[in-house]
Amino acid sequence: MEEKDSSLNEVANVLSKLKTSSIVDDYTINWNQKLGTGVNGPVWPCKKNGTNERFALKILPDKPSSRMEISLHSRCSRHPAIVTLYDVYANEVQFPGEAHPCPRILMVMELMDGGELFDRISQQKGFTEAQAVRYAKQIASSIQQCHSLNIAHRDLKPENLLLKDNSENSPVKLSDFGFAKVDDGSLATPHFTPYYVAPQVLEAQRRQRREEKGIIPTSPGPYTYDKSCDIWSIGVIIYIMLCGYPPFYPETPSRKISREMCHRIMAGQYDFPAEEWRHISDEAKDLVTKLLKVDPMERLNISELMEHSWMQENRASNVTLNSPAIMLDKNLMEEAMRVHSEQLTSMRLPDKRVVLKPVAKANNPIIRKRARSSCQSLDNRVVEGQPEPKHRKDTDAITKLRDVIAYCILPPQGGCNHEYLCELMQTAQEHNHECNTLKAALESLRWNGKAFEAPVEPSKLALALSNVVKEKNLNNSTQ
């Protein structure tokens, strides 16, 4: 009770410092350049009058949730891993298209010129496990600051991890406290971003929906979760930094979340595919495993995370990771997730060897539905003596390319077999013999029509073929 009273007093103290004078007396706002949009409002650049020092300005509607955001952000601010909050104004602001000015809260914050974390990683050459450790330490440090004040951030994701500048050693800082809340035992609202959501938050959503339908809960009292949801999110972020794609994702890329994805999160069902993880340290896998524990009581807390052996920067590996190439190409990331999902499905079948089928042969309800919607069936046969339909040829051509990509991204446990890879590549080339983009890509990788004349990195081949698939899909959609 005393802790809750203390928190309320701090909130009141922060809100008492709201400035009611016009912000334009102190800052010049650039309304022509929007920097982004947070949970509760957009962000613009601004300069301090007299000094021309640059800041970011976030504008929120003046309501209780906005005042809570500035209160919690202010309490966590002034930490080296958290975006600094400098000034807060309560002004009437009229946006274009509005008939009258409306009460709004204006937050003057530290300007982060370096962009989002994953955008930076995707552009880095030679990104290593040691560099991933450096970023992970800063992310964990920001959450340690929040948790030391008993605050759950609840929206830890790459879009809220920003770099101060474009320098090589720029610090990464946590931003956007729009979903943050004091962990007083009443966290029940299912705020989340799908890829990074903890099982307990999904359970809160499930129970909330059941109650909305009038289903009586089986356990007394409301279901609540705690700030350990942030620890789960750190585990997901570290996983992506190391391999390039998330441990949990929907089967269809266009969907944000699916029932099957929820089941996998709730069961903690993921793995470490060999192609991306075989060069990654056992310490990294151990840490991810301990962060992605479904039971929050078994999950590491923030202090244990900071003390884990992998978080010691001087001990991390300098082996180059494939994650930047996969992050850079969203089509390749979707391909990696598709292949990974197929393997997880196969692993659930007892005593079954994992075999990745070509898409056209897969007995998959999603694929069948797509086939029906485009007036074709996977069971159709070409009538003897008649030319094969062009759309079928295009589908087969892309399928053969995807088979190669799938093998590159997720080869068998023993690693990539060069001879088998060349067989797949020959077949794909035969089905795409008129594609000049493919010819150019293969020439750059020293392919002679039957084999690669020099060692080829599977990730580079997958990325090159992914670009070909992307171009062919685009061409097909415009015809």
Side-chain angles (χ1 to χ4, degrees):
M1 187 66 179
E2 289 180 4
E3 183 179 340
K4 191 169 184 177
D5 291 340
S6 174
S7 297
L8 292 173
N9 290 335
E10 289 186 44
V11 172
N13 181 49
V14 170
L15 296 180
S16 68
K17 296 178 181 177
L18 281 175
K19 297 182 178 180
T20 56
S21 58
S22 175
I23 190 173
V24 297
D25 294 340
D26 302 318
Y27 295 90
T28 300
I29 305 167
N30 182 358
W31 296 108
N32 296 319
Q33 181 189 354
K34 187 184 289 188
L35 297 176
T37 303
V39 172
N40 292 326
V43 182
W44 283 273
C46 65
K47 290 183 179 180
K48 191 172 181 64
N49 297 338
T51 67
N52 278 336
E53 188 177 359
R54 299 165 66 233
F55 297 92
L57 176 68
K58 184 174 183 178
I59 301 183
L60 314 173
D62 191 349
K63 57 184 182 180
S65 61
S66 300
R67 293 187 171 233
M68 180 59 70
E69 176 179 346
I70 64 169
S71 170
L72 298 182
H73 192 159
S74 178
R75 289 175 62 190
C76 296
S77 189
R78 306 291 177 174
H79 184 276
I82 293 178
V83 172
T84 303
L85 176 61
Y86 290 103
D87 277 323
V88 185
Y89 293 78
N91 285 177
E92 295 274 329
V93 178
Q94 183 175 1
F95 284 135
E98 292 182 340
H100 307 284
C102 296
R104 289 187 166 94
I105 299 291
L106 298 88
M107 304 170 61
V108 180
M109 304 179 296
E110 180 180 9
L111 181 64
M112 304 298 289
D113 267 336
E116 297 175 7
L117 175 61
F118 280 9
D119 287 341
R120 169 67 62 88
I121 292 175
S122 69
Q123 301 294 333
Q124 284 187 244
K125 293 182 179 179
F127 182 68
T128 67
E129 199 170 316
Q131 290 172 298
V133 170
R134 185 171 68 85
Y135 287 136
K137 286 176 67 175
Q138 295 176 71
I139 296 167
S141 178
S142 69
I143 293 302
Q144 187 175 43
Q145 167 72 354
C146 296
H147 288 194
S148 69
L149 298 168
N150 205 31
I151 294 172
H153 185 272
R154 300 201 298 174
D155 197 25
L156 188 58
K157 58 184 179 181
E159 293 87 342
N160 290 337
L161 296 167
L162 307 176
L163 290 128
K164 176 63 179 173
D165 52 50
N166 292 311
S167 65
E168 183 179 349
N169 295 316
S170 170
V172 61
K173 302 191 179 190
L174 177 63
S175 67
D176 201 340
F177 283 70
F179 283 160
K181 190 174 181 182
V182 174
D183 184 4
D184 57 4
S186 65
L187 299 183
T189 309
H191 291 310
F192 62 84
T193 300
Y195 286 142
Y196 311 95
V197 60
Q200 288 67 42
V201 183
L202 284 180
E203 177 64 17
Q205 181 192 59
R206 187 183 73 87
R207 299 204 183 195
Q208 186 182 83
R209 286 177 173 174
R210 287 171 64 87
E211 290 175 7
E212 289 172 354
K213 293 178 180 179
I215 300 174
I216 301 174
T218 55
S219 57
Y223 178 85
T224 60
Y225 56 93
D226 62 16
K227 54 184 176 288
S228 67
C229 61
D230 292 335
I231 302 297
W232 176 280
S233 300
I234 292 177
V236 174
I237 289 169
I238 291 175
Y239 186 104
I240 299 173
M241 280 200 292
L242 294 173
C243 74
Y245 54 85
F248 309 100
Y249 38 79
E251 298 72 27
T252 306
S254 59
R255 296 187 65 182
K256 291 184 177 180
I257 194 166
S258 67
R259 183 184 296 273
E260 181 63 25
M261 176 179 171
C262 288
H263 288 331
R264 287 201 297 267
I265 293 173
M266 299 287 282
Q269 186 184 40
Y270 65 96
D271 70 349
F272 300 109
E275 178 62 24
E276 287 78 33
W277 288 88
R278 62 182 172 179
H279 298 305
I280 295 172
S281 68
D282 290 338
E283 288 86 353
K285 296 172 188 174
D286 179 73
L287 177 60
V288 170
T289 300
K290 290 176 177 176
L291 296 177
L292 297 182
K293 291 286 187 183
V294 173
D295 185 348
M297 299 300 293
E298 298 178 4
R299 206 175 297 157
L300 296 184
N301 61 37
I302 191 62
S303 298
E304 292 167 335
L305 165 58
M306 297 293 285
E307 294 169 2
H308 191 276
S309 60
W310 185 76
M311 297 288 279
Q312 314 315 309
E313 200 167 342
N314 60 332
R315 295 175 53 181
S317 166
N318 283 310
V319 174
T320 300
L321 302 174
N322 293 332
S323 47
I326 296 177
M327 287 180 183
L328 184 61
D329 190 281
K330 294 189 184 302
N331 192 44
L332 183 54
M333 179 184 283
E334 290 173 1
E335 195 66 40
M337 293 192 296
R338 182 186 69 82
V339 174
H340 187 189
S341 179
E342 286 182 8
Q343 191 195 52
L344 283 175
T345 300
S346 299
M347 287 170 61
R348 288 195 292 273
L349 301 177
D351 302 320
K352 291 282 187 177
R353 178 174 170 267
V354 176
V355 178
L356 301 180
K357 294 182 178 180
V359 174
K361 295 181 181 179
N363 184 22
N364 186 307
I366 298 175
I367 296 174
R368 291 201 303 271
K369 183 176 179 181
R370 287 178 179 170
R372 285 196 298 270
S373 67
S374 59
C375 301
Q376 58 178 311
S377 168
L378 293 178
D379 293 327
N380 282 348
R381 298 289 184 269
V382 178
V383 178
E384 188 174 354
Q386 291 186 3
E388 189 174 10
K390 183 178 184 305
H391 63 75
R392 181 61 179 271
K393 285 185 177 180
D394 291 339
T395 300
D396 287 347
I398 291 174
T399 296
K400 299 305 179 184
L401 291 171
R402 288 186 179 275
D403 287 345
V404 183
I405 295 171
Y407 188 75
C408 289
I409 293 174
L410 198 62
Q413 192 65 35
C416 197
N417 182 299
H418 183 75
E419 291 183 4
Y420 183 62
L421 176 62
C422 291
E423 288 178 16
L424 289 176
M425 192 64 255
Q426 276 185 274
T427 303
Q429 188 177 31
E430 289 170 3
H431 282 75
N432 293 273
H433 60 91
E434 297 178 353
C435 180
N436 292 326
T437 304
L438 178 61
K439 291 178 184 177
L442 291 176
E443 284 176 7
S444 69
L445 296 172
R446 300 184 62 181
W447 170 258
N448 63 17
K450 293 183 178 180
F452 293 97
E453 296 176 347
V456 60
E457 291 184 24
S459 61
K460 287 186 178 179
L461 176 59
L463 181 59
L465 299 186
S466 173
N467 290 332
V468 176
V469 170
K470 190 174 183 179
E471 179 183 287
K472 292 177 77 70
N473 281 331
L474 181 63
N475 291 339
N476 290 341
S477 67
T478 57
Q479 289 175 359

